[in-house]
Amino acid sequence: MEFVMKQALGGATKDMGKMLGGDEEKDPDAAKREEERQEALRQEEAERKAKCARMEAEREAMRQGIRDKYGIKKKEEREAEAQAAMEANSEGSLTRPKKAIPPGCGDEPEEEEESILDTVIKYLPGPLQDIFKK
C-alpha cells in the first residue's frame, strides 16, 4: 500500500517540499536574466524620456507659432518688460517705486467712521437722542 501512495503522489512530494521551505533548484542564469531585464527597463525609460522631450519640443514650436500669429508674449517676457519699466521709472527718483494698486482697491467710497459721541448717542433712550442730535 505504501508503494501505491508514493506512486500516486509522484512529483507532488517535490513541489510540497519546496512549498514548505525545502531546497529550491538554483538557476545559474537567473542573475544574467535579471541584469538583462534591468537593462531593458533602463533602455525603455530612456526612450520614453526622449519621446516626451521630442513631443514637448513640437508643442512648444506650435505654441510659438500661435504667439507669433496673434502677437502674444510669453509670461516670462511680460514680467521682464514690466520689471524693466519699473526700473526705468525709478532711475531719476530718490524714493523707491510705488507698488501697483490692484484693480478694485480704492474704487469704493470710504465709509465715514463713527465718532465716540455718535456711538454713545446710539445707546441713549429716544428723548435724549433727540436732544443731542439738535
Side-chain angles (χ1 to χ4, degrees):
M1 190 73 167
E2 188 176 305
F3 177 72
V4 176
M5 288 288 276
K6 283 186 178 179
Q7 226 176 10
L9 292 175
T13 56
K14 289 181 185 177
D15 292 337
M16 287 177 64
K18 286 181 187 177
M19 293 170 102
L20 296 174
D23 294 330
E24 294 184 26
E25 295 178 22
K26 301 290 181 183
D27 188 10
D29 296 333
K32 182 180 175 184
R33 281 196 302 249
E34 180 63 24
E35 182 62 35
E36 289 174 357
R37 187 180 74 79
Q38 291 294 329
E39 181 60 32
L41 289 173
R42 283 190 289 271
Q43 184 177 0
E44 287 175 8
E45 182 68 16
E47 290 172 2
R48 185 188 67 76
K49 286 183 179 181
K51 180 182 175 184
C52 289
R54 188 173 53 250
M55 289 174 62
E56 186 59 31
E58 291 173 5
R59 288 186 194 113
E60 185 56 35
M62 186 179 296
R63 290 182 197 120
Q64 189 59 46
I66 292 170
R67 282 189 212 104
D68 293 341
K69 182 177 178 181
Y70 295 105
I72 302 171
K73 294 183 182 178
K74 281 186 170 181
K75 183 177 184 181
E76 296 87 25
E77 292 174 3
R78 288 192 308 251
E79 289 174 355
E81 286 180 2
Q83 183 67 26
M86 290 291 283
E87 289 173 3
N89 288 341
S90 64
E91 281 180 10
S93 176
L94 296 177
T95 60
R96 65 180 173 81
K98 294 181 180 178
K99 293 183 181 178
I101 299 173
C105 290
D107 295 341
E108 303 159 5
E110 295 182 19
E111 296 178 14
E112 295 180 17
E113 292 185 28
E114 288 186 4
S115 68
I116 296 173
L117 184 61
D118 293 335
T119 308
V120 172
I121 292 173
K122 226 192 279 185
Y123 293 106
L124 292 175
L128 288 176
Q129 284 182 2
D130 295 336
I131 293 172
F132 281 108
K133 286 185 181 178
K134 293 180 181 178

